[in-house]
Amino acid sequence: MIKKLLHKSFSVLLALLVMFSTVSFTIEKHFCGDVLIDISIFTEADKCAMEAYEVALEKITKKSCCKDVIDVVEGQNKLKFSSFEDLDFEQQQFIASYTCAYINLFKGLPKVTIPHKDYSPPNLVTDIQVLDQVFII
């Protein structure tokens, strides 16, 4: 029971690990001056109220006070699929011997039958030591 539960949980964990290592996403940050206004993941960051006035300010100062910073976190896009035949002979031999040794760890001992397990001794009517007069000295 526990072995099946561990097997399923490790399988789900490894599947999630592969999924999250291949996911790419962007983080957008909107600054107004040096102040962080909004952070957004997967979507565009909200603009501040200065964006409406910025068009007029750009005509006068030729410089914008707002800026957007985009950070891209890229996941891996190449997954390597290899088979047992791609390995060296020594690596194949190691994996095969390790697998056999690991599987043999969980083999149980052969069931031993005890023929007198359910046998109950007869009731003693007389004390045999006294009857035969055999005493331990």
Side-chain angles (χ1 to χ4, degrees), residues 29-39 48 50 54 63-69:
K29 300 174 189 174
H30 181 76
F31 290 93
C32 190
D34 290 333
V35 179
L36 178 64
I37 301 297
D38 189 33
I39 296 177
C48 61
M50 284 296 288
E54 197 168 295
K63 188 176 181 185
S64 172
C65 69
C66 294
K67 65 180 178 179
D68 290 323
V69 177

Side-chain angles (χ1 to χ4, degrees), residues 42-101:
F42 298 117
T43 60
E44 189 174 324
D46 292 336
K47 307 297 181 195
C48 61
M50 284 296 288
E51 288 287 325
Y53 300 114
E54 197 168 295
V55 176
L57 287 175
E58 281 183 10
K59 291 179 184 175
I60 298 170
T61 63
K62 301 284 184 189
K63 188 176 181 185
S64 172
C65 69
C66 294
K67 65 180 178 179
D68 290 323
V69 177
I70 298 174
D71 295 328
V72 178
V73 179
E74 296 215 9
Q76 66 182 23
N77 57 0
K78 294 181 182 176
L79 292 177
K80 182 180 178 185
F81 296 104
S82 59
S83 65
F84 188 72
E85 287 79 24
D86 294 340
L87 300 174
D88 298 1
F89 177 71
E90 289 84 13
Q91 292 173 336
Q92 288 179 357
Q93 189 177 14
F94 173 75
I95 291 174
S97 62
Y98 182 78
T99 304
C100 286

Side-chain angles (χ1 to χ4, degrees), residues 95-110:
I95 291 174
S97 62
Y98 182 78
T99 304
C100 286
Y102 185 76
I103 289 172
N104 287 335
L105 281 176
F106 298 106
K107 282 189 177 178
L109 295 173

Side-chain angles (χ1 to χ4, degrees), residues 110-127:
K111 189 171 182 177
V112 178
T113 58
I114 302 172
H116 56 278
K117 178 180 154 188
D118 297 326
Y119 174 73
S120 60
N123 293 330
L124 294 177
V125 178
T126 59
D127 194 2

